[in-house]
Amino acid sequence: MEATLLGSVFGLSPVSSERVVGKAVFPSSKSKPRRQTHRVTAINSVASKTHVGVRRIQKNEDGAKVVKLVENPYSGAETASPDLRKSLSDFLEEARDFVGDDDGPPRWFSPLECAAQAKGSPLLLFIPGIDGTGLGLIRHHKKLGEVFDVWCLHIPVRDRTPAKDLMKLIERTVKSENHSFPNRPIYLVGESIGACLALDVAARNPNIDLALIMANPATHVNNLMSQPLVGMLNVLPYGVPTLLEEIFGFKQGDPLTAILDALTNEFAVHQIGGAGGGIIRDLFTVSANLPTLSRIFAKDTLLWKLELLKSAVASANSHIYAVRAETLILLSGHDQWLLNEEDIDRYSHTLPKCIVRKLKDNGHFLFFEDGVDLVSIIKCTCFYRRGKSHDHLSDYIMPTRYELKQQLDDHKLLIDATSPVYLSTLEDGKIVRGLEGIPSEGPVLYVGYHMLLGLELGPMVIQFLKERNIHLRGLAHPMLFLNGKDALADTQMFDKYKIMGGVPVSNFNIFKLLRSKSHVLLYPGGVREALHNKGEEYKLFWPEQPEFVRVASRFGAKIIPFGVVGEDDICDLVLDAYDQRNIPILKDFMEEATKKAGNLREGDETELGNQICYLPGLVPKIPGRFYFYFGKPIETAGREQQLKDKDKAQEFYLQVKSEVEQCIAYLKMKRESDPYRHLLPRVLYQASHGLSSEIPTFDI
């Protein structure tokens, strides 16, 4: 599956779209619940060319609604682009069925889009915000359903269950599922009011393995806004929903609604396009669905929800100190009604395992907004787990086609500017251009030089995917995986490493990766090479001990030494660690970063054991060219007993190091004869031969 997904992004092999066909039954009031938690299997697909299925509703002989899902050729497209995910229009279309003749107590439903989860997936309970429909994750159902068992809580419009009883309903479900699957974590995802209820449940059940995801949790109620709203609602007549329909004339199925739908699909999308089209589309959508909105947010319902909100906020704030669950808070930058940043800071320091992820350009209804992908956020914060703690190998979620395309787009400028040259070595020792000499089957351990700031990583990983469909699993410094209070800086700058399968470097993780026959990328010089000082480019800073030799030989891994040059052709290092020690502000930053990063080699008194973390001061140049050279694979199969000998292992280790140095020396020498080393000749070549043409290099 991994190879198929990676290949589909770069045109290596076709990928068939999974099609969902099935039906769901909404039990009538006479039906018995399917399980003690009142779970109802429901469906959330609508009739549209970009959606997973077409909904057909009819009644069976017992009077129960039957929803049939007709297959659609566009299923699976959601993972390719967020633009094809469900929209506000889909939410309102499906909410119409939920609020039409909706009575009864709150209950759970599971979207059919979420039926493809892998075996052993954790349970995710979604607790809605002020709308109460339970459809708040509609844009995320498909991706969530691949890695979670998703249940959504639906609170009918006319339901008046107090916050305390809602909390008890959720708690009963949590306890029941924990009893049935005691080793499976339970995720509680809540927005605004739902986040408060999730906190309350976690506080009352500290011994249950819970993980909280709170989107814009309602930490307080802004009285400057809520009191005038309550006053206005109190003087409005109860006939407002009917008046809205009569004044605007928007009734479901009438000609005007059809016209607005046509305008949405044709004019707004194709003629205007982009952000402007999205705004107009949403405007039409809201206008065309005023009756649905008026039912969801009826006067008496809004008044009740405001009281419910106040009660939930007060209860959550009083119980927060009892919460022991790990927590991820998603904080919008433009939500000022229910959020107070001081309260969020208090939460982050009070909750024992709390990560705050700030989304500064988003508003209150976070999960409806473009650019917000809940599964990607969970990946980037290492918040996904199937057991007691996150495992960077077994809990790793492969990137989607869209995420891979994003990585390609993010590195496109660097790749285009440096026109990298890739050389590899065949088994007979012949050097060829491209990656033909790279083994297809693992385990393979790539050992090489780490360029300044790891500039070579993006182009190299992408090239392996494009040319050979090989997914490199890089071993990285653990500081890149820190979250919450321990993080060095804005952790979102390290998202790409987590999306692409980076793993904290350790002997145990190397062992597990090679055991799983992965292609593993290792830099023995690590941070010391990536943050080197002036005059130290292309110098190896490897530890004295042969750290990777024995584990590689245990699994018969092929070791490929490689070198890369070109950093001195794209930038000058003007402020290194020695310079920054003399600048008080930068010195303090260095000391703080070094302290948080910790020491990977405890007991090592060399500079590798006392590595300073700092941000190099660089001055860019007119870009030159990157060169990669992968040496001949070195076999370890059948040498395990031999390499158990300390001296033999040391000799083998020095051989690998020498091979890396030779790769670097070869590239430094050969690039001098490359007529296309500099930018202008490359631009002229592509201008005459086409932008997609491969630019020549030196003679091999």
Side-chain angles (χ1 to χ4, degrees):
M1 178 178 177
E2 175 177 328
T4 305
L5 175 59
L6 298 178
S8 69
V9 180
F10 301 105
L12 297 176
S13 60
V15 177
S16 62
S17 296
E18 179 180 316
R19 298 181 179 180
V20 182
V21 181
K23 67 177 182 179
V25 178
F26 292 83
S28 64
S29 58
K30 297 180 180 179
S31 301
K32 294 183 179 180
R34 294 178 57 194
R35 50 191 304 161
Q36 291 180 348
T37 52
H38 304 283
R39 185 184 184 193
V40 179
T41 302
I43 184 172
N44 67 348
S45 296
V46 301
S48 173
K49 64 180 181 181
T50 59
H51 302 147
V52 175
V54 179
R55 185 172 51 202
R56 297 287 183 264
I57 301 180
Q58 61 189 51
K59 290 190 177 182
N60 61 17
E61 296 177 355
D62 298 328
K65 289 183 180 178
V66 177
V67 183
K68 295 184 178 179
L69 186 62
V70 182
E71 60 185 297
N72 185 291
Y74 288 84
S75 66
E78 181 180 341
T79 56
S81 170
D83 296 331
L84 298 179
R85 295 188 301 173
K86 291 192 171 183
S87 64
L88 177 63
S89 175
D90 301 317
F91 166 77
L92 292 172
E93 285 280 349
E94 299 190 21
R96 179 181 61 190
D97 291 329
F98 275 71
V99 302
D101 53 355
D102 188 23
D103 284 313
R107 61 263 196 188
W108 299 101
F109 71 94
S110 183
L112 283 188
E113 281 178 304
C114 301
Q117 74 268 11
K119 184 179 180 181
S121 296
L123 176 65
L124 185 149
L125 301 178
F126 174 64
I127 309 168
I130 198 165
D131 65 284
T133 61
L135 294 172
L137 293 178
I138 190 170
R139 302 198 71 193
H140 309 265
H141 281 166
K142 183 171 177 58
K143 286 185 69 175
L144 284 171
E146 294 172 355
V147 292
F148 288 102
D149 180 10
V150 181
W151 297 14
C152 304
L153 181 63
H154 172 59
I155 305 173
V157 171
R158 291 186 284 272
D159 180 75
R160 296 296 180 263
T161 303
K164 182 173 70 173
D165 292 339
L166 286 174
M167 185 273 300
K168 289 181 178 179
L169 182 151
I170 300 165
E171 183 181 39
R172 284 196 302 271
T173 304
V174 166
K175 288 182 175 180
S176 172
E177 291 301 310
N178 180 68
H179 178 76
S180 300
F181 305 98
N183 297 320
R184 181 176 73 164
I186 298 175
Y187 283 70
L188 300 181
V189 180
E191 55 179 352
S192 62
I193 300 175
C196 295
L197 296 173
L199 269 176
D200 250 0
V201 172
R204 289 168 57 95
N205 299 275
N207 296 322
I208 294 180
D209 187 9
L210 298 175
L212 308 185
I213 300 177
M214 303 190 296
N216 295 326
T219 59
H220 80 303
V221 179
N222 189 335
N223 290 326
L224 292 176
M225 297 180 67
S226 63
Q227 288 180 355
L229 178 61
V230 172
M232 181 182 69
L233 288 171
N234 280 322
V235 299
L236 284 176
Y238 279 92
V240 168
T242 304
L243 289 173
L244 285 173
E245 294 182 20
E246 295 300 327
I247 292 172
F248 291 98
F250 294 139
K251 296 180 182 295
Q252 302 298 340
D254 69 9
L256 182 55
T257 301
I259 293 173
L260 288 173
D261 287 342
L263 284 172
T264 298
N265 292 330
E266 301 297 330
F267 178 75
V269 177
H270 297 298
Q271 298 297 326
I272 297 178
I279 293 172
I280 291 183
R281 182 171 59 248
D282 287 345
L283 179 61
F284 281 140
T285 296
V286 171
S287 300
N289 288 278
L290 278 174
T292 301
L293 286 171
S294 66
R295 291 189 183 99
I296 295 175
F297 300 112
K299 170 187 170 179
D300 56 338
T301 300
L302 276 177
L303 287 170
W304 167 253
K305 289 294 175 69
L306 287 172
E307 292 302 316
L308 184 68
L309 174 65
K310 293 177 183 178
S311 174
V313 168
S315 181
N317 284 331
S318 64
H319 296 148
I320 185 174
Y321 294 97
V323 176
R324 295 293 176 266
E326 58 180 339
T327 307
L328 171 61
I329 297 178
L330 307 181
L331 183 63
S332 295
H334 300 311
D335 183 10
Q336 301 300 322
W337 183 39
L338 300 176
L339 275 176
N340 184 314
E341 288 210 28
E342 293 180 359
D343 288 337
I344 296 299
D345 288 339
R346 176 171 62 88
Y347 276 28
S348 66
H349 288 89
T350 302
L351 297 171
K353 309 167 190 174
C354 183
I355 303 169
V356 177
R357 179 93 170 186
K358 295 186 178 181
L359 306 170
K360 61 181 180 180
D361 297 325
N362 298 98
H364 178 74
F365 297 103
L366 195 62
F367 295 134
F368 285 113
E369 299 190 28
D370 292 333
V372 177
D373 187 325
L374 181 56
V375 173
S376 291
I377 291 173
I378 291 172
K379 292 181 188 180
C380 293
T381 50
C382 301
F383 207 70
Y384 183 75
R385 57 187 176 88
R386 296 180 179 90
K388 294 296 182 182
S389 60
H390 176 76
D391 186 299
H392 289 277
L393 277 70
S394 62
D395 290 330
Y396 175 60
I397 303 171
M398 282 294 298
T400 64
R401 285 168 286 183
Y402 176 72
E403 288 168 341
L404 290 174
K405 185 179 181 300
Q406 269 190 318
Q407 294 303 312
L408 181 62
D409 293 342
D410 290 346
H411 291 93
K412 189 177 188 303
L413 179 61
L414 179 61
I415 293 171
D416 290 346
T418 58
S419 304
V421 175
Y422 297 90
L423 306 175
S424 61
T425 310
L426 303 179
E427 290 185 2
D428 60 4
K430 181 182 178 181
I431 301 174
V432 295
R433 186 166 185 184
L435 302 177
E436 183 183 348
I438 301 298
S440 298
E441 300 297 326
V444 181
L445 183 63
Y446 302 82
V447 183
Y449 168 71
H450 213 357
M451 195 183 281
L452 183 66
L453 291 177
L455 293 171
E456 83 286 354
L457 269 173
M460 181 170 69
V461 170
I462 288 171
Q463 187 65 22
F464 268 74
L465 288 171
K466 289 178 64 176
E467 186 175 338
R468 294 300 308 278
N469 207 16
I470 291 174
H471 184 201
L472 292 178
R473 299 296 303 271
L475 291 154
H477 196 289
M479 68 180 174
L480 303 185
F481 301 88
L482 295 175
N483 284 305
K485 299 181 283 291
D486 298 325
L488 294 179
D490 182 6
T491 58
Q492 296 185 40
M493 67 190 336
F494 304 131
D495 284 355
K496 58 185 177 182
Y497 302 112
K498 302 164 189 174
I499 289 288
M500 296 306 295
V503 178
V505 63
S506 70
N507 290 332
F508 186 52
N509 282 339
I510 297 175
F511 176 92
K512 291 196 294 183
L513 284 168
L514 293 178
R515 182 178 60 184
S516 64
K517 300 186 183 301
S518 299
H519 287 251
V520 185
L521 179 60
L522 173 67
Y523 294 104
V527 174
R528 181 62 184 87
E529 288 175 2
L531 302 180
H532 64 67
N533 295 304
K534 295 175 185 175
E536 294 178 344
E537 59 271 10
Y538 310 128
K539 181 180 178 182
L540 300 185
F541 292 91
W542 287 22
E544 296 180 359
Q545 300 300 320
E547 298 177 334
F548 59 83
V549 172
R550 293 180 182 176
V551 67
S553 66
R554 175 167 182 173
F555 297 103
K558 294 181 176 69
I559 296 178
I560 299 183
F562 72 91
V564 54
V565 302
E567 67 176 71
D568 52 341
D569 275 349
I570 65 169
C571 64
D572 281 325
L573 177 57
V574 295
L575 274 179
D576 64 11
Y578 296 112
D579 297 323
Q580 295 187 25
R581 282 174 177 167
N582 299 320
I583 304 174
I585 296 178
L586 297 180
K587 180 182 178 182
D588 293 342
F589 173 80
M590 286 171 52
E591 291 176 350
E592 179 68 18
T594 302
K595 181 180 178 182
K596 284 189 173 183
N599 185 359
L600 289 180
R601 296 184 172 92
E602 294 183 8
D604 188 344
E605 297 301 325
T606 67
E607 59 183 337
L608 287 177
N610 297 282
Q611 169 60 39
I612 295 174
C613 292
Y614 79 105
L615 186 63
L618 306 176
V619 174
K621 293 180 177 180
I622 296 175
R625 202 169 192 183
F626 282 176
Y627 302 87
F628 295 79
Y629 175 27
F630 296 88
K632 183 179 178 180
I634 303 173
E635 295 282 355
T636 65
R639 303 181 64 179
E640 182 179 359
Q641 293 301 321
Q642 176 189 356
L643 293 176
K644 283 183 178 180
D645 181 85
K646 185 176 181 181
D647 293 335
K648 293 291 185 182
Q650 185 68 22
E651 180 183 341
F652 184 90
Y653 178 72
L654 294 177
Q655 177 194 347
V656 176
K657 183 178 180 181
S658 176
E659 292 277 352
V660 174
E661 291 173 332
Q662 290 177 38
C663 291
I664 295 172
Y666 175 85
L667 292 174
K668 289 175 67 177
M669 176 188 69
K670 295 294 286 185
R671 71 175 175 173
E672 298 296 334
S673 60
D674 184 1
Y676 299 97
R677 177 180 176 182
H678 302 292
L679 181 63
L680 182 58
R682 299 199 302 272
V683 172
L684 294 176
Y685 182 89
Q686 288 193 320
S688 59
H689 292 79
L691 294 177
S692 60
S693 59
E694 184 180 67
I695 301 172
T697 185
F698 51 75
D699 293 331
I700 300 175

